[in-house]
Amino acid sequence: MTNCLGIYFDENIVKYAKLLKNNNGTIEIKEHGIKYVRSTLKETLEKVIADTNTGIDTPVVINAPKTEYIEFQVFKQISSNDLQNIVKLEFEDWCEKKSVGSQNFSYLYSLSSAIAGDYYRGIMAICNKSEIEKFANIGENKIMSMYPTELILPTIVPTDEKNYILINLDNKLQVTTVINGKTAYTSIYETGMKKILDKFIDILGSYEKAYEACKQFNVFSDSEENNNNKVQLEEIVEPALQEVLRDISEDVNRHKDSIAKLYITGSSVLFTNIDTLFTEYFGIRCEILKPKIISDVNGVRNMAETLEVLNPIVLASEYLTPLTTGLEFIKKSIVKENFFKTLFSKKKNNNKNKELKEKKLAAKLNIVNMPKFSLDKLAEYVMYPLIVFSLTIISYYTVSNIYINQVNKMQKEINNKNAKYEEMIALANSDKKSVNDATNEYKSINDQVTLIKEQIEHNQIGKYSTYNVAAFTQKLIKVIPKNVKLKSISSDDNKKIKIIAEADKYQNIGYFIANLRLQPDVLSNVVVNSITNGTIVTVEIGGDLP
C-alpha cells in the first residue's frame, strides 16, 4: 500500500487530499480538507503536512504555482521531428511579448489528438523557474512531482465517455472538447471565478468570507429578500456567468450534434445548481465531474466537501497511477530508506548480542571457585595473560577492520566526488562550446543580414526579397490538392519562385497548376518549366511572388 498527499494552492487557499493506493490497485481517499492562508503560504503548507501526519517518506505532490496557460496550434503537415521546434518558437514568442528571458521559465504542453480544420491545437503551461525552486521543498518534505493541474484534469473523465465537453471554471475558464474519444479543441478564456471572488472580497472583506459565500450561493434563487449583501452578490454573479456561457457557446455549437454531455468542474461547483443552469442554457445534459474515486463517497454533504478538493485528488491520483507522460515540472523517485533502517537495526542487534555474550563470559569467570595456591591456580594465572592477549589481538583485528572499512569508504566517496567534478567540468566545457557555436552562428547570421541589407540598398536584389517565405507557404497550403506532394521550393531573390511537385496522376498535377493560375495573389505568371512522366509524375513550376 502507498500513501500520497496531493496539495493544490494559490495565495489565498490550500486544498489537500491524502490518498491510499491498495495492493489491488484501487485508490481511496483517507482524508481531505481546505485551509485558508492567514500567515504565509509556506507556513500553511507546512501545517497541512503536519496535520496529515505526512512523514518525509510519504510522497507529496503539488500544482505548479503561478502558471500561465496559452493556446497554440500546429499545422497538420508538421512532422513529429519538427514539433518540438514549433512549440519552442511559441514559447519564445510568449517570452518576447512578456519581455522576459526564456532561460528563466520552464514550459510543458499538451497537444490535441484530433485534427481541427488544418491544425492540431494545444495548450502550453509556463512556470517561472524561481517558483519551481521555491516550492521544491516544503519544510523537511521534498516535493516528488509538480503538475500543471489544468493539463491533467481531462484524464479523470470516465473512460466510457467519448463525446463531451469538459468545462473547468476555476480562476480562468478552460473548455476541452472531446469527439470520438479524441481531444479536438481546448480553449482558455479570461473569464472565471477569480473575477467573481475578487469582487466578493470587496464587499465581504476577506477571501474566506467570499469563498464561504460562494458555497451558500444558489444560481436560481431570487433576490427579493431584504438582504443588501445577497443582492450585491447576485449582481456580480449573474453578468459573470452570462459571459462564461457566451464564451462556452462557440465550443458547444461547433459540435452540438455530436456532444452527448457536458462536465463541469473547478471552483464554480461551489455554486448550488450550477449544473442545472448549464443544462437549461445549452439543452445538453450537464453533470459535475465525479471520477470513480469520488463517486464512491457517501452522503450529499461529504460529496460536496470532496468535490471542493478535486484538484489535489487529481494530483495525488496522477502520481499514484500515472496517465500522462512528461507533464511534470518536478519529477523525483521515492528514496527508499527501509534498507538503511534494517541495516542499522541489524548492526544494533549484533552489538547487543556481542555485549550479552561478553557479560555471560564475565559472569562465568566470576563464579569460578578459586582454591588457595594450587596447580589450578597456577593454570589460571597462566591462562589470564593468554586471555588478555587474545582479547587484545581480537580488538586490534576488529578495530583494524573498522579503520580499513572507513578508509575504503572515504576513498570511494572521494572517487565519486572526483567523478562528479569531472562530469561538471565536461558539462562546463560543453556549455562553453555551445556558447561559442551560438556566437559564431549569430555572427554568421548577422553578416548575412548585413549583406542582404547592402544588396537591397544598392539594388543588387529585387525589392521583393523582403517577402516572408512562411507567408507564401501558408497560402500555398490552401491551394495544393490532397494527392500532390511538394518536393522543394526555391528562389534566387525571393521574387522568382521554383516549385517541384509530384503526384501519382497527371490530373492532380494539372489541377494544382490550374489552382495556382486562378490564385494570382499566391503566385503570378505561372509557367510549367518541365514535366517528367512515369509511375510518379514530376513537374517544375515557375512564377513570381505577387
Side-chain angles (χ1 to χ4, degrees):
M1 293 188 294
T2 306
N3 284 306
C4 180
L5 177 64
I7 302 178
Y8 180 88
F9 63 89
D10 58 28
E11 65 272 14
N12 297 304
I13 193 170
V14 176
K15 301 179 180 181
Y16 62 92
K18 195 168 189 178
L19 305 189
L20 172 67
K21 183 178 181 180
N22 297 307
N23 294 331
N24 61 4
T26 59
I27 296 177
E28 57 182 290
I29 304 172
K30 299 302 292 182
E31 55 184 310
H32 62 77
I34 64 171
K35 287 188 183 295
Y36 299 103
V37 179
R38 295 194 175 95
S39 52
T40 66
L41 177 56
K42 264 297 185 71
E43 288 177 359
T44 307
L45 292 171
E46 290 175 7
K47 184 169 177 54
V48 166
I49 290 176
D51 289 350
T52 54
N53 296 316
T54 302
I56 59 174
D57 57 338
T58 299
V60 179
V61 296
I62 64 174
N63 62 299
K66 299 182 180 178
T67 306
E68 290 273 353
Y69 292 91
I70 61 172
E71 300 176 60
F72 68 96
Q73 55 190 23
V74 178
F75 271 115
K76 62 183 180 182
Q77 291 89 351
I78 294 296
S79 66
S80 57
N81 294 331
D82 295 328
L83 177 61
Q84 296 295 335
N85 293 329
I86 297 296
V87 176
K88 185 179 180 182
L89 287 174
E90 292 286 348
F91 165 67
E92 291 174 346
D93 182 60
W94 178 88
C95 292
E96 184 178 346
K97 290 178 181 177
K98 293 284 186 176
S99 300
V100 297
S102 59
Q103 70 278 7
N104 297 324
F105 290 80
S106 292
Y107 67 92
L108 303 170
Y109 71 93
S110 176
L111 202 63
S112 62
S113 50
I115 299 173
D118 292 326
Y119 303 95
Y120 288 101
R121 300 179 182 271
I123 294 293
M124 186 183 303
I126 304 173
C127 189
N128 195 313
K129 290 181 179 178
S130 64
E131 292 293 322
I132 296 174
E133 182 65 25
K134 179 179 178 182
F135 291 97
N137 296 284
I138 299 177
E140 296 182 353
N141 292 73
K142 293 183 179 181
I143 298 305
M144 304 307 292
S145 281
M146 180 184 290
Y147 298 103
T149 316
E150 281 74 0
L151 296 189
I152 63 174
L153 265 176
T155 62
I156 62 171
V157 176
T159 55
D160 56 342
E161 294 292 347
K162 302 299 181 184
N163 298 284
Y164 62 88
I165 289 182
L166 175 61
I167 302 165
N168 179 26
L169 181 49
D170 220 316
N171 284 343
K172 290 185 179 181
L173 171 63
Q174 176 181 327
V175 184
T176 303
T177 304
V178 175
I179 304 296
N180 296 326
K182 294 183 177 181
T183 304
Y185 294 89
T186 300
S187 306
I188 296 178
Y189 303 92
E190 290 299 318
T191 52
M193 288 295 292
K194 188 177 186 306
K195 289 185 177 181
I196 295 175
L197 283 166
D198 286 346
K199 292 180 180 179
F200 274 27
I201 292 171
D202 292 338
I203 297 173
L204 301 175
S206 72
Y207 182 90
E208 181 176 350
K209 291 180 179 178
Y211 187 86
E212 293 298 325
C214 289
K215 293 168 68 173
Q216 304 299 322
F217 196 94
N218 189 330
V219 295
F220 280 122
S221 65
D222 55 50
S223 58
E224 295 180 358
E225 297 181 25
N226 188 18
N227 186 326
N228 291 332
N229 274 354
K230 184 176 180 182
V231 173
Q232 287 180 291
L233 298 183
E234 288 181 351
E235 290 175 349
I236 293 170
V237 174
E238 183 178 351
L241 288 182
Q242 288 177 353
E243 186 176 3
V244 167
L245 293 170
R246 284 195 298 270
D247 288 336
I248 298 172
S249 293
E250 181 179 351
D251 296 88
V252 172
N253 292 335
R254 189 184 290 117
H255 293 287
K256 191 168 185 178
D257 293 337
S258 302
I259 295 300
K261 189 180 294 185
L262 307 177
Y263 283 107
I264 185 168
T265 186
S267 299
S268 62
V269 301
L270 297 174
F271 292 146
T272 303
N273 288 327
I274 186 72
D275 50 336
T276 306
L277 172 66
F278 279 78
T279 298
E280 291 193 0
Y281 186 87
F282 293 110
I284 301 174
R285 182 182 175 187
C286 178
E287 294 180 4
I288 293 176
L289 180 59
K290 303 183 190 73
K292 186 178 187 306
I293 187 174
I294 291 182
S295 300
D296 295 337
V297 174
N298 295 322
V300 175
R301 181 174 179 178
N302 291 336
M303 175 64 75
E305 292 176 351
T306 307
L307 287 173
E308 287 185 54
V309 295
L310 179 62
N311 284 344
I313 290 174
V314 172
L315 294 171
S317 178
E318 174 64 22
Y319 183 83
L320 293 173
T321 309
L323 297 174
T324 63
T325 302
L327 289 181
E328 311 96 347
F329 285 106
I330 290 178
K331 183 178 182 181
K332 298 178 181 177
S333 59
I334 300 176
V335 178
K336 295 186 177 180
E337 300 178 349
N338 293 336
F339 170 77
F340 298 102
K341 290 179 179 179
T342 303
L343 179 61
F344 292 143
S345 176
K346 286 182 178 179
K347 285 186 175 181
K348 188 175 180 181
N349 290 335
N350 289 338
N351 291 336
K352 286 183 177 180
N353 292 335
K354 183 178 179 181
E355 291 175 2
L356 185 59
K357 288 180 180 179
E358 289 177 352
K359 287 181 180 180
K360 288 182 178 179
L361 177 59
K364 288 180 179 180
L365 291 174
N366 288 334
I367 63 172
V368 174
N369 294 321
M370 291 185 290
K372 293 182 181 180
F373 186 78
S374 63
L375 290 176
D376 292 339
K377 184 78 170 180
L378 179 60
E380 183 178 346
Y381 285 156
V382 173
M383 291 297 296
Y384 181 76
L386 291 176
I387 292 173
V388 173
F389 178 75
S390 300
L391 289 175
T392 303
I393 294 297
I394 292 171
S395 299
Y396 174 77
Y397 178 75
T398 303
V399 172
S400 297
N401 279 342
I402 293 173
Y403 176 74
I404 292 171
N405 289 336
Q406 289 293 332
V407 170
N408 290 337
K409 182 179 179 182
M410 291 175 64
Q411 183 67 41
K412 185 177 180 181
E413 290 177 353
I414 291 171
N415 291 338
N416 289 338
K417 288 182 179 179
N418 285 338
K420 288 183 179 179
Y421 291 149
E422 291 175 0
E423 183 180 350
M424 292 173 67
I425 291 171
L427 288 173
N429 291 334
S430 176
D431 290 342
K432 182 179 178 181
K433 182 178 182 302
S434 298
V435 171
N436 290 336
D437 291 345
T439 302
N440 294 334
E441 183 179 0
Y442 173 80
K443 183 177 182 305
S444 175
I445 294 173
N446 193 48
D447 291 344
Q448 291 178 18
V449 172
T450 302
L451 176 62
I452 293 173
K453 179 182 177 184
E454 291 175 353
Q455 289 176 332
I456 293 173
E457 291 174 349
H458 293 87
N459 294 321
Q460 293 176 345
I461 59 177
K463 66 179 180 178
Y464 296 96
S465 60
T466 57
Y467 265 78
N468 189 334
V469 176
F472 169 68
T473 56
Q474 289 280 359
K475 294 179 181 179
L476 191 61
I477 288 173
K478 296 179 180 179
V479 300
I480 187 170
K482 183 177 181 181
N483 296 321
V484 174
K485 179 180 178 181
L486 291 177
K487 292 194 67 177
S488 68
I489 301 175
S490 58
S491 172
D492 294 334
D493 63 353
N494 285 337
K495 171 60 178 174
K496 296 289 186 181
I497 295 292
K498 181 172 71 175
I499 301 171
I500 298 179
E502 62 181 25
D504 56 351
K505 294 181 180 180
Y506 179 78
Q507 291 90 329
N508 294 328
I509 293 292
Y511 182 59
F512 179 38
I513 296 170
N515 277 351
L516 287 174
R517 287 174 172 164
L518 291 173
Q519 301 289 337
D521 60 324
V522 178
L523 194 67
S524 59
N525 302 324
V526 177
V527 295
V528 178
N529 296 331
S530 65
I531 295 179
T532 302
N533 292 311
T535 306
I536 299 297
V537 180
T538 304
V539 61
E540 180 182 310
I541 304 170
D544 300 333
L545 285 173

